[in-house]
Amino acid sequence: MPAPGQYLLAQAASEADSPLPVPVYLAAPTRNGFYAAAPLPVAWTPGTSLGLKGPLGKGFRLPPAARRVLLASWSGSPGRVLALLEACHRQGAEVALVAESTPAGIPLSVEILPRATLPEAARWADYAALDIPREQIESILASQPVSDSLRLLSGYAQVFIETSVPCGGLAECGVCAVGTRNGIRLACKDGPVFDLTEISIPDRH
Ligand code: FES
């Protein structure tokens, strides 16, 4: 069972010859397992048998004292940050979500906010979990008002870097390399969740 932000490497039994397993992330726990965050391969239909390896990587660490949690996703689906919902509710935290699209079934207690309110939401939050595709890190972190908002969050925010992780760190393939303040890190095992302070936020001046 992966924790929020961690992953399992999955391969369909019928695709055992395929060299690339697929990372599967938690969206929400169930009684006997978990719902996986979208997207999943279209070839996987109900009844497909999967080989699973993991959990792998470092996930989100929700501070026990957090009471106002901002979830923000620049990915196609916010499922990976929504995986924190249950833990947030367990500790009585309010949750706000900023995302491109919102899947059905999100509890009414989650406040859905438009992207334009990010600066306000960043001032309100006492913890933030972000999901950003690796290819967009530079442009997202450099654009205002996003960079100003994230600077407010720096120090109490974590960011999931979305990238492919074909070997899960087992073969050191380097496909998942991420530039950080501490040099090149591997999203597959040093992440995919990093403290926002590790990821450079350009200064305005
Ligand atoms: S996925 Fe191969 S080193 Fe990270």
Side-chain angles (χ1 to χ4, degrees):
M1 174 84 174
Q6 283 189 310
Y7 62 99
L8 301 176
L9 279 183
Q11 202 153 24
S14 57
E15 298 168 347
D17 293 340
S18 164
L20 298 181
V22 174
V24 173
Y25 299 93
L26 174 76
T30 63
R31 187 179 305 219
N32 298 315
F34 67 96
Y35 291 115
L40 293 175
V42 287
W44 294 0
T45 53
T48 298
S49 184
L50 300 175
L52 301 171
K53 198 180 295 172
L56 299 168
K58 297 195 174 99
F60 290 106
R61 295 184 310 278
L62 178 68
R67 293 295 178 269
R68 297 183 305 279
V69 174
L70 170 62
L71 307 177
S73 173
W74 283 262
S75 299
S77 162
R80 290 176 290 247
V81 287
L82 285 171
L84 284 163
L85 266 190
E86 188 183 89
C88 290
H89 289 158
R90 230 184 294 129
Q91 63 189 50
E94 295 175 64
V95 179
L97 173 69
V98 174
E100 297 298 338
S101 63
T102 50
I106 294 183
L108 291 175
S109 58
V110 177
E111 190 171 3
I112 314 258
L113 300 173
R115 178 82 66 218
T117 62
L118 192 62
E120 203 181 320
R123 277 192 293 275
W124 165 83
D126 60 10
Y127 171 75
L130 317 173
D131 181 345
I132 302 179
R134 181 178 58 178
E135 296 67 32
Q136 294 180 40
I137 293 175
E138 207 168 311
S139 61
I140 287 173
L141 297 190
S143 72
Q144 289 176 328
V146 174
S147 62
D148 289 346
S149 307
L150 297 187
R151 200 171 288 106
L152 283 172
L153 288 165
S154 202
Y156 55 101
Q158 296 187 298
V159 55
F160 174 97
I161 307 287
E162 182 189 16
T163 174
S164 59
V165 286
C167 84
L170 301 176
E172 304 268 328
C173 68
V175 164
C176 64
V178 175
T180 74
R181 288 181 189 273
N182 303 316
I184 298 294
R185 308 285 300 276
L186 298 176
C188 63
K189 57 182 187 183
D190 301 321
V193 175
F194 296 87
D195 288 339
L196 186 59
T197 48
E198 275 192 78
I199 308 296
S200 292
I201 300 178
D203 287 329
R204 286 181 67 174
H205 305 293

